[in-house]
Amino acid sequence: MRIAFFDTHRFDRTAFEEANAAFGHEFTWFEPRLTPQTVGLAAGFPGVCSFVNDRLDGPCLQALAQGGTRLVALRSAGFNHVDLSEAARLGMTVVRVPEYSPQSVAEHTAALVLALNRKVHRAYARVREWNFSLDGLVGFDLHGKTVALVGLGRIGRATARIFHGFGCRLLAVDPQLKEEDARRLHLEPVALPEALARADILSLHLPLTPGTRHLIDAAALARMKPGAMLINTGRGALIDSHALLAALKSGHLGAAGLDVYEEEEGVFFQDLSGQVLQDDVLARLLTFPNVLITAHQAFLTREALGAIARTTLESIRRFEQGEPLEATEVRAEQVRPR
């Protein structure tokens, strides 16, 4: 099948070209993101492969359909950037990668916690200038601390196993969590308000839906324990960034580790080192010594990239041959408010 890839990077091409040896699809690579302004590049392609910061809104999907595209293959787990209702109306199939490597994101979550707690990012910058002072670098033992995980899907569960290994007390915020699974993972199920009040570290592992957008807003941040740490490796808009900024400026929030940001489109995955950053909130967040931001790289391991490529190409093959797609197809009802 002929597939147009958008928002491509070297790591994408390497993983997909290696995996394609077993499938034989035909790829065309485009560096721009897929948006209503660039959708003309996809004309004549029966399938497109999209990344997380593409913008597949109604006009973009309509143009894709007019150009003959029948399949949108998302090389990501998230699908909040796609108008699924419009895709269904146009008769277009949308597939995603529901699981690639939960460990990759879970391990990055732990890396953010450890780096923030032990001030690794500050110590690294300091010693490169031959400053070997330890002042200002005091952290805390993770052992015995309370970690609240919001969302206990595959990534949340992998994260739970890691922090249990550190000897942490684990709280779980997920109404779908079964009692048996909670016992097996050493989790104490609680509602979000209790988790906010008790957690030394709050970590988000949710998809972005109308029901989870700005789940962590000013009111939620105010309920958090003073000095607590907030980690987000889920979706950027789970956190109200303006409220986050205010909580950090007031000193109420102790630290924040973000691998995602709600206005990351057009910023993350780009080299903007020669430009002036136009996002004032992001620019301000980057000035805080107790904030660590990575550019949506939690998934970026060899194992995860290989799994993403194989799952995506298998979905394309199944679509091409008219086989069922239950495991990877995503539909509009999956984003209805909870």
Side-chain angles (χ1 to χ4, degrees):
M1 191 169 178
R2 293 179 61 244
I3 304 294
F5 279 71
F6 284 84
D7 196 12
T8 59
H9 305 269
R10 188 181 307 160
F11 55 80
D12 291 308
R13 298 188 184 193
T14 299
F16 272 87
E17 287 170 352
E18 289 178 357
N20 196 43
F23 293 92
H25 297 300
E26 181 182 341
F27 299 157
T28 298
W29 303 95
F30 295 111
E31 291 187 7
R33 293 183 296 115
L34 179 55
T35 68
Q37 290 70 43
T38 63
V39 68
L41 296 170
F45 286 89
V48 296
C49 188
S50 165
F51 201 33
V52 290
N53 284 331
D54 294 336
R55 190 162 68 249
L56 284 88
D57 54 14
C60 184
L61 290 169
Q62 292 161 20
L64 283 173
Q66 291 168 6
T69 297
R70 297 173 290 117
L71 174 69
V72 175
L74 309 176
R75 56 186 191 276
S76 62
F79 48 83
N80 54 281
H81 57 298
V82 185
D83 186 337
L84 293 173
S85 296
E86 183 64 13
R89 189 188 71 80
L90 294 167
M92 300 178 70
T93 298
V94 181
V95 296
R96 64 173 181 137
V97 184
E99 177 183 6
Y100 38 92
S101 173
Q103 289 74 27
S104 66
V105 181
E107 290 171 9
H108 194 79
T109 299
L112 289 174
V113 171
L114 290 167
L116 279 167
N117 174 31
R118 303 307 298 268
K119 318 293 192 295
V120 175
H121 56 305
R122 296 176 61 190
Y124 173 77
R126 185 180 292 187
V127 299
R128 285 177 63 85
E129 297 181 355
W130 296 8
N131 179 354
F132 302 100
S133 167
L134 299 182
D135 292 335
L137 301 182
V138 177
F140 56 81
D141 288 356
L142 277 178
H143 184 88
K145 296 300 184 292
T146 299
V147 177
L149 304 172
V150 185
L152 270 297
R154 296 180 181 90
I155 293 172
R157 294 177 187 220
T159 306
R161 286 188 284 269
I162 291 173
F163 283 106
H164 175 68
F166 278 111
C168 298
R169 292 188 293 268
L170 301 176
L171 307 180
V173 180
D174 191 327
Q176 299 180 3
L177 181 66
K178 297 179 180 178
E179 185 176 339
E180 177 184 347
D181 291 337
R183 285 198 304 270
R184 180 171 53 83
L185 292 167
H186 310 281
L187 297 165
E188 178 186 348
V190 297
L192 181 60
E194 182 176 351
L196 293 169
R198 292 175 56 189
D200 298 298
I201 300 166
L202 186 81
S203 187
L204 306 179
H205 302 281
L206 293 167
L208 179 62
T209 69
T212 62
R213 179 176 292 275
H214 287 184
L215 181 72
I216 305 301
D217 56 9
L221 288 162
R223 293 190 190 102
M224 290 183 69
K225 181 188 295 188
M229 182 186 297
L230 176 61
I231 304 292
N232 188 8
T233 53
R235 286 291 175 266
L238 297 174
I239 298 175
D240 180 337
S241 299
H242 288 87
L244 173 64
L245 184 59
L248 288 162
K249 288 174 67 176
S250 71
H252 178 73
L253 188 65
L258 310 175
D259 186 56
V260 287
Y261 173 65
E262 65 176 324
E263 301 296 337
E264 69 182 55
E265 179 183 326
V267 178
F268 284 12
F269 308 113
Q270 311 298 319
D271 181 359
L272 305 180
S273 57
Q275 304 179 32
V276 174
L277 186 60
Q278 298 300 311
D279 188 316
D280 291 343
V281 173
L282 179 58
R284 184 70 177 93
L285 287 171
L286 289 167
T287 68
F288 285 91
N290 56 341
V291 172
L292 182 55
I293 298 175
T294 53
H296 209 137
Q297 73 175 75
F299 76 100
L300 199 62
T301 66
R302 289 188 296 271
E303 293 81 0
L305 290 170
I308 289 169
R310 289 189 298 273
T311 300
T312 302
L313 297 180
E314 176 61 19
S315 291
I316 293 170
R317 183 197 67 78
R318 295 179 71 87
F319 174 83
E320 185 180 34
Q321 297 182 4
E323 298 178 8
L325 289 163
E326 292 93 346
T328 59
E329 187 173 5
V330 58
R331 299 177 180 273
E333 54 264 27
Q334 295 176 251
V335 295
R336 290 175 180 166
R338 299 186 297 176

